[in-house]
Amino acid sequence: MTHQPAIPTLTAADPQIAGIVEDEARRQAEKIRLIASENYVSQAVLEATGTVLTNKYSEGYAGKRYYEGQQFIDPLEELAIERAKAVFGVDHANVQPYSGSPANLAAYMAVVKPGDTVLGMGLPAGGHLTHGASVSATGKWFNAVHYGVRKETGRIDFDQVRDLAKEHRPKLIIAGGTAIPRTIDFPAFAEIAREVGAVLVADIAHIAGLIAGGAHPSPVGHAQIITTTTHKTLRGPRGAMILSDAEHAKAVDKAVFPGLQGGPHNHTTAAIAVALGEASKPEFRDYAHAIVANAKALGDALTARGFDLVSGGTDNHLLLVDLTSKQIGGKPAAKALDKAGIELNFNAVPFDPRKPFDPSGIRLGTAAITTRGLTPEHQPQIAEWMDRTIAAAASEDEAALDKIAGEVRDLLTAYPIPGYRA
Ligand code: DSN
C-alpha cells in the first residue's frame, strides 16, 4: 500500500515523515470525503507539484523578473495564464496568489484603500473570513458592511444587498462565499454594483470547477475582478488565481507583486497549468455536471431521512445541513461521522443561535466523491450511514461507528483515488 507517485527516497531519508504521508494517503482513500472545499487531484497534478520548479525564485512577471534563469519559468507561467484565460474566457489572469485569502487581499488592494467601505456576505450567512469579517485583516483595515440571506428561504437577500449598497456606498462589493448551496446571481450583484459605482469582485473559490465545466453561470462580464482558489471543484493544487477584465489587469498584477507577495511558487504554477489543461477537456464538463447530480441526490436522500437542508436543497456541489431537528450539534456530529469514515466539517447555519466553534450545522460537498467515481445511486447509502451515525453518536455507541467505518471502507475499495494504490 503506497502513496502514488511512490516515495522510496523520502522513505529511506526520513521514514518518520514518509510514514505520515503514507498514513494520510491511506486515510484519504478510506474515507468518504465530503469536505466541500476538498478534492483529489490527478496524479499528473501531484507529479507537477513535486518537481524541481520548487527550487526557483521568479519575483516579477514574464519578461520582467528580478532574478536570472527564467528561460523555462516564463513560458510556464505564460502557459498557465493562457490556459486560465481560455478556460474562463477572461481578458487577464494572474496565477501567482499563494491561496484564496492572499488573492482576496490582492483584489482589495487593487481597488480600495484602508478605511474604504466594502460590502460582502457575512461569515455567519455563508461568506468568507476575507469578506470583511471582524477578526480578519479585511474587517480591521476596511469599513466592512455585510449582507446575509433571507430567513424563510436561506437565499441571498438582494433587497438587503441593494439597501446596504445605497446606504453605505461601498467601493467594492464581493459576491461569493464558502457555504452557499444555491446559484449565485452575478447579474443581480452587477446591477447593484453599477447603481452605486462599486467594483464587483466575484469570489468563485468553491464553484470555479462548476463554472469551468458549465455547471454554474459564469461571473465573467458581470464582475470586473474574479478570485478563486485552484484546489476545490477546479481540482488543482493548493493555490489561487485572480481573473479580471483588461481595465483592472495592471492594478491586480501590482497588488499581487510587489503589493503583497514575493516570488510565485513555480511548482504550484505548473500544477495549476496541468489542472487547467484537464479542466479544458470535454470530460471535465461531465465531471462538473456529475458533481451537481451527486449533490442533488445526496440532498434528496438526506431530506427523505428528515435532515433539514438550509435553503431546502442545492444547485451546486454544496449542502448545508441544520442538525437542530436531529438534536445534535454540528461538532459532535462531525466528530462521530469522521469516526464512521465520513469526513466533513461542522459549520454555522444562517441565524445560528450557537457559537461558531460549536455551531448547529454541518457542511457537505460532492466534488471529491465524484472524482473517485461515486454516483447518485450511492447517495441513499451515504445518507443512511449518516443517519445511523447520528443515532450512534446520541447513544455513544462506538461499536456502531466502527461498523459503519468498515462498511464505508468496503464500498470504497472499488473506487480508488489518484495518489494511493492499495
Ligand atoms: N477553507 C475554505 C473552505 O473550506 O471553504 C475557505 O477558505
Side-chain angles (χ1 to χ4, degrees):
M1 294 190 289
T2 54
H3 184 273
Q4 298 297 314
I7 51 170
T9 313
L10 177 61
T11 304
D14 195 332
Q16 220 177 343
I17 295 296
I20 290 171
V21 173
E22 295 288 3
D23 285 348
E24 173 62 12
R26 191 183 61 250
R27 191 196 68 78
Q28 291 190 13
E30 289 182 349
K31 289 275 178 74
I32 291 189
R33 169 170 275 196
L34 291 176
I35 293 183
S37 47
E38 294 183 352
N39 210 329
Y40 300 104
V41 299
S42 69
Q43 187 147 337
V45 169
L46 278 177
E47 286 180 11
T49 310
T51 59
V52 294
L53 299 174
T54 198
N55 296 338
K56 187 70 195 130
Y57 247 119
S58 314
E59 274 158 326
Y61 293 101
K64 287 172 284 176
R65 306 275 188 190
Y66 290 80
Y67 294 78
E68 295 313 311
Q70 310 296 342
Q71 291 84 351
F72 304 106
I73 299 299
D74 276 4
L76 168 73
E77 191 172 316
E78 281 171 337
L79 199 50
I81 289 169
E82 287 313 312
R83 288 184 184 180
K85 284 163 65 177
V87 165
F88 290 97
V90 286
D91 297 335
H92 179 70
N94 186 308
V95 297
Q96 294 193 3
Y98 298 142
S99 204
S101 297
N104 282 348
L105 203 51
Y108 283 91
M109 196 172 180
V111 288
V112 290
K113 298 211 164 12
D116 282 349
T117 299
V118 300
L119 175 60
M121 192 171 203
L123 192 59
H128 188 249
L129 278 168
T130 56
H131 297 181
S134 60
V135 291
S136 150
T138 58
K140 293 183 191 297
W141 296 345
F142 304 101
N143 174 37
V145 181
H146 290 117
Y147 59 86
V149 295
R150 287 185 193 277
K151 204 163 191 170
E152 325 78 68
T153 62
R155 294 174 187 243
I156 292 170
D157 182 347
F158 278 101
D159 291 335
Q160 187 196 25
V161 179
R162 178 172 276 106
D163 289 348
L164 289 170
K166 286 192 164 157
E167 182 185 345
H168 296 279
R169 314 297 296 184
K171 290 207 171 135
L172 182 156
I173 297 178
I174 308 182
T178 59
I180 305 175
R182 294 296 182 175
T183 299
I184 300 173
D185 188 345
F186 295 116
F189 274 108
E191 192 181 305
I192 294 169
R194 261 194 312 276
E195 282 170 26
V196 299
V199 171
L200 180 63
V201 173
D203 178 346
I204 61 165
H206 267 266
I207 52 174
L210 303 184
I211 291 169
H216 188 291
S218 169
V220 176
H222 305 293
Q224 292 93 333
I225 297 176
I226 300 164
T227 63
T228 184
T229 49
T230 44
H231 46 267
K232 298 186 173 94
T233 52
L234 192 55
R235 210 165 56 180
R238 303 302 289 245
M241 304 189 292
I242 306 181
L243 316 171
S244 79
D245 59 12
E247 186 190 338
H248 293 85
K250 215 166 160 187
V252 163
D253 283 354
K254 275 176 73 179
V256 174
F257 176 86
L260 284 165
Q261 296 190 174
H265 294 174
N266 297 312
H267 54 303
T268 301
T269 305
I272 289 174
V274 173
L276 288 167
E278 293 172 358
S280 68
K281 299 218 166 83
E283 304 88 88
F284 198 85
R285 294 187 77 79
D286 299 338
Y287 169 61
H289 286 92
I291 293 173
V292 177
N294 272 339
K296 284 183 187 294
L298 181 55
D300 289 347
L302 287 169
T303 303
R305 290 186 169 274
F307 285 89
D308 185 8
L309 270 50
V310 171
S311 84
T314 180
D315 299 325
N316 53 33
H317 64 303
L318 189 146
L319 299 143
L320 195 55
V321 181
D322 185 343
L323 291 172
T324 308
S325 64
K326 293 278 181 185
Q327 285 150 0
I328 187 168
K331 193 171 184 177
K335 293 208 173 299
L337 285 159
D338 191 50
K339 282 188 190 160
I342 297 171
E343 185 187 9
L344 43 70
N345 66 282
F346 58 85
N347 214 97
V349 297
F351 309 99
D352 203 326
R354 299 168 67 120
K355 298 249 176 324
F357 205 59
D358 183 23
S360 300
I362 48 176
R363 188 187 67 158
L364 299 71
T366 52
I369 60 168
T370 307
T371 293
R372 72 188 299 171
L374 298 190
T375 64
E377 287 71 51
H378 295 108
Q379 306 312 318
Q381 176 62 77
I382 295 176
E384 194 258 348
W385 279 327
M386 289 181 63
D387 213 5
R388 270 167 62 200
T389 301
I390 302 295
S395 55
E396 294 182 25
D397 187 347
E398 295 285 327
L401 299 181
D402 286 347
K403 184 165 184 304
I404 296 166
E407 291 170 19
V408 166
R409 277 195 302 277
D410 285 348
L411 171 75
L412 294 181
T413 48
Y415 298 92
I417 62 164
Y420 181 75
R421 186 179 299 148

